Amino acid sequence: MKKRILVSGGAGYIGSHVTVELLEAGYEVVVADNMSNCDRSGFEGVRQITGKEDIPFVEMDFCDAAAVERLFDEYRIDAVIHFAAFKAVGESVAEPIKYYRNNLTSLLNVLEAARSHGGCNILFSSSATVYGEAAELPVTEQSPRLPATSPYGNTKQICEDMLRDTVASDRSIRGIALRYFNPIGAHPSALIGELPRGVPNNLVPYITQTAIGKRSCLSIFGNDYPTPDGTCLRDYIDIVDLARAHVAAVTRMVEGRMKEDYEIFNVGTGRPVSVLELVSAFEQVNGLKLNYRFADRRPGDVVAIWADTSLANRELGWTARRTLAETLASAWAWEKHLAGR
């Protein structure tokens, strides 16, 4: 019998790419999303890429405990990949209560439903933000979790603790937290990609929207950081590489190959790239010139963060494959696809 994976937030940017990779790896998938930060195009793109028209889709809010229980009642679920969360650092600083209510409650409801249905494997979508302003780089899974620089980052730390403590108390539940860095790019088909609502909070959609004329100017937040060019350093990982890491991790869970009942893995490239370097690479790869300006630093941003991925490389048998050039070309192809819809 095929293993069935529930993907919460599965119609969104990361969730849709993970769903494609799960289906192509032979898993059955149930997609559930409240559509608060996406539309049906992501899910329809998944169907088009995979050629599967019968993927179950449930429109629901994971903050609704009764709805989560009904979902577990309706489907036999071997593992949950939990994405359903708000994710904008700046917005979380302005609206912390919104982030604590949504991000903590949604995972709490998944954990309670897993327990009431005899246990489950839970793969949590965590973030490099749990490391805060790291004293030593690159960060490993053993690097200290310093105080979060935003409520968003704090919710990721708290959710990791919720999963860890639940696993420790109940042997029927196993958990993996994937701490990933900065997902960018789009599927090579250009049928799914990042589709922000309103003004983008992430850099690459702002770059592509500026390049195509939706935005008049790209704002780079801060050019006075203690880095070689004054802009922040980040570890930008291709979205398909990130999706493959989720498949590797969920396979480790459902095949019973975990060494501990709760595990943590960094998912990145291990290569720091500055904001200015990323902008320059986009211009070079796609033969474009961007209009950009420097703006004040953005609340909650750390100076630099990048990953040591050796543990994921070794234990998951996974490594990032796609080049930055390929990723930035895919992001531009996706933006042009959107313009032609």
Side-chain angles (χ1 to χ4, degrees):
M1 182 183 296
K2 284 187 177 182
K3 300 294 186 180
R4 180 180 289 120
I5 314 301
L6 167 63
V7 184
S8 75
Y13 174 45
I14 301 176
S16 60
H17 287 81
V18 169
T19 298
V20 166
E21 297 303 312
L22 286 168
L23 290 167
E24 293 187 342
Y27 287 102
E28 292 185 3
V29 180
V30 177
V31 173
D33 204 302
N34 69 356
M35 312 304 285
S36 64
N37 197 37
C38 59
D39 59 31
R40 289 279 298 196
S41 63
F43 181 67
E44 294 306 321
V46 170
R47 295 171 65 181
Q48 191 172 350
I49 291 166
T50 62
K52 297 183 183 296
E53 298 294 324
D54 57 348
I55 307 165
F57 177 82
V58 181
E59 186 167 345
M60 56 166 287
D61 189 339
F62 278 82
C63 288
D64 182 342
V68 179
E69 289 287 341
R70 287 195 298 270
L71 188 63
F72 274 72
D73 288 340
E74 184 173 357
Y75 295 98
R76 174 191 54 80
I77 296 170
D78 296 293
V80 180
I81 302 179
H82 185 62
F83 294 112
F86 296 143
K87 62 177 185 176
V89 169
E91 182 186 51
S92 78
V93 174
E95 300 187 64
I97 293 174
K98 172 182 176 180
Y99 274 67
Y100 287 117
R101 177 180 293 116
N102 182 78
N103 293 7
L104 304 187
T105 303
S106 61
L107 178 60
L108 180 64
N109 289 339
V110 168
L111 293 171
E112 289 183 326
R115 291 189 67 173
S116 67
H117 288 78
C120 193
N121 299 291
I122 297 174
L123 178 55
F124 176 62
S125 164
S126 192
S127 165
T129 57
V130 302
Y131 295 115
E133 196 76 69
E136 294 185 9
L137 293 168
V139 291
T140 73
E141 290 80 359
Q142 285 71 47
S143 296
R145 288 189 336 182
L146 300 178
T149 59
S150 69
Y152 164 74
N154 199 27
T155 66
K156 292 299 185 182
Q157 291 183 341
I158 296 169
C159 284
E160 283 191 0
D161 294 344
M162 289 164 57
L163 179 56
R164 178 202 64 206
D165 293 346
T166 301
V167 167
S169 71
D170 189 336
R171 295 299 302 274
S172 72
I173 296 176
R174 289 166 301 279
I176 290 179
L178 292 187
R179 293 174 177 168
Y180 40 82
F181 286 67
N182 290 72
I184 61 172
H187 193 269
S189 67
L191 293 173
I192 54 175
E194 191 166 5
L195 186 61
R197 290 190 169 178
V199 179
N201 288 293
N202 294 334
L203 176 60
V204 170
Y206 217 122
I207 288 174
T208 59
Q209 289 187 11
T210 302
I212 210 161
K214 290 181 183 177
R215 308 281 168 190
S216 60
C217 183
L218 167 69
S219 294
I220 296 176
F221 298 106
N223 66 339
D224 57 349
Y225 286 100
T227 62
D229 63 19
T231 64
C232 294
L233 292 171
R234 294 291 183 269
D235 188 334
Y236 295 100
I237 180 166
D238 184 273
I239 186 63
V240 176
D241 280 338
L242 179 64
R244 290 192 303 101
H246 286 76
V247 176
V250 84
T251 300
R252 180 180 177 88
M253 300 177 87
V254 301
E255 292 184 355
R257 293 192 278 108
M258 295 176 65
K259 293 182 177 178
E260 305 288 341
D261 288 339
Y262 175 65
E263 297 179 333
I264 299 167
F265 298 101
N266 285 338
V267 183
T269 66
R271 298 186 300 273
V273 176
S274 78
V275 173
L276 275 181
E277 286 174 327
L278 191 76
V279 169
S280 176
F282 180 86
E283 291 177 327
Q284 183 174 355
V285 167
N286 296 301
L288 299 165
K289 188 67 179 173
L290 288 171
N291 181 32
Y292 65 84
R293 67 178 180 86
F294 294 107
D296 292 338
R297 294 186 183 191
R298 188 170 56 177
D301 281 343
V302 300
V303 175
I305 188 81
W306 68 92
D308 180 326
T309 64
S310 56
L311 184 66
N313 300 155
R314 182 175 69 251
E315 294 295 327
L316 299 181
W318 168 90
T319 188
R321 297 175 184 166
R322 289 172 64 79
T323 66
L324 185 61
E326 290 172 321
T327 302
L328 294 174
S330 74
W332 181 230
W334 164 246
E335 189 66 56
K336 290 187 288 185
H337 169 76
L338 289 176
R341 288 200 309 192

